[in-house]
Amino acid sequence: MTSRTTETVEPGEIVLWDARHDSHDRIATRTFGFWLYMLSDAMIFAALFTVYAILGHNYAGGPTAAQILHPGRALIETLVVFTSVLAFGLGMSALKHGNRSAVLNWIAVAFVLGVAFVGLEIQAFAHLANHGIVPQRSAFLSAFYTIVLTHGLHMVFGLLWMAVMAVQVLRDGFTDNVVYRLLNLRIFWHFQAVIWVCVFVFIYL
């Protein structure tokens, strides 16, 4: 038997929430499938970190890690990305209560902080490029650029995904498809924070 309940979120706003038992099962199954994808992504980063461990001290007469990497700046980036993850997590907490406006507000905060992180990364790479510190200089720089840029591309993809989800929440409310996509995005966004911690610890420190 199919049942649906209604929940008033704001004056004049009604959100339909599918209360069928198999609704939760479908969302759980799709989320599990996304976890499998994330494992493959983790293997890619594991390979990149392995390459860096092998080539990370091959400076070929170029600048060393201590000369171009600034842990203080990376710490600021770490705080920014973790605050973004926290904001998205608060949005997912609001999702449990069916509060559409709170979900959208927290997604907006997470998005702005994510853009700030990417902006800091672009600024850092522009500074290096202006001083001729490019991937071709050494194996160390090639490995460094590859890891950080790969993570940066994941962040950009996450921001695009976040923008799309904000539109879908605003347009469709909390349907099954919207909810499972938001849950998968939460997994993806948390994963980026974990990868950045690895970058910070194993490269910048």
Side-chain angles (χ1 to χ4, degrees):
M1 177 177 179
T2 300
S3 64
R4 298 181 71 88
T5 60
T6 61
E7 178 180 357
T8 303
V9 179
E10 293 179 350
E13 179 185 7
I14 301 295
V15 174
L16 292 177
W17 187 270
D18 193 342
R20 291 174 298 178
H21 174 71
D22 64 337
S23 173
H24 176 270
D25 292 339
R26 288 199 305 272
I27 292 174
T29 300
R30 291 173 176 178
T31 302
F32 176 73
F34 190 76
W35 270 111
L36 296 179
Y37 158 73
M38 293 308 304
L39 287 175
S40 67
D41 213 27
M43 292 174 65
I44 292 174
F45 278 103
L48 293 177
F49 278 107
T50 301
V51 171
Y52 183 83
I54 297 171
L55 302 178
H57 297 288
N58 188 347
Y59 302 120
T64 66
Q67 291 173 329
I68 66 170
L69 302 183
H70 306 287
R73 182 186 181 89
L75 177 59
I76 294 174
E77 296 175 0
T78 302
L79 294 176
V80 170
V81 75
F82 265 85
T83 307
S84 179
V85 168
L86 174 62
F88 196 87
L90 291 172
M92 294 302 94
S93 179
L95 173 65
K96 296 179 181 178
H97 303 286
N99 191 332
R100 184 189 300 191
S101 61
V103 170
L104 290 171
N105 289 337
W106 283 118
I107 287 178
V109 173
F111 181 87
V112 170
L113 290 168
V115 170
F117 175 86
V118 173
L120 290 171
E121 285 289 281
I122 292 174
Q123 186 181 44
F125 279 119
H127 176 76
L128 292 176
N130 288 336
H131 289 79
I133 304 174
V134 293
Q136 301 92 310
R137 288 286 302 274
S138 66
F140 154 67
L141 287 172
S142 295
F144 166 73
Y145 269 85
T146 301
I147 289 178
V148 179
L149 285 177
T150 300
H151 176 263
L153 288 174
H154 278 73
M155 290 291 292
V156 170
F157 176 78
L159 291 171
L160 293 174
W161 189 357
M162 209 175 290
V164 170
M165 291 313 306
V167 172
Q168 292 187 357
V169 170
L170 188 62
R171 182 190 64 195
D172 303 328
F174 301 133
T175 64
D176 285 355
N177 285 335
V178 170
V179 170
Y180 98 81
R181 290 166 187 161
L182 284 171
L183 294 176
N184 288 346
L185 177 54
R186 180 183 63 179
I187 296 170
F188 182 84
W189 205 237
H190 278 71
F191 178 73
Q192 302 318 310
V194 172
I195 293 299
W196 180 254
V197 168
C198 294
V199 171
F200 179 64
V201 171
F202 295 112
I203 297 179
Y204 283 90
L205 296 183

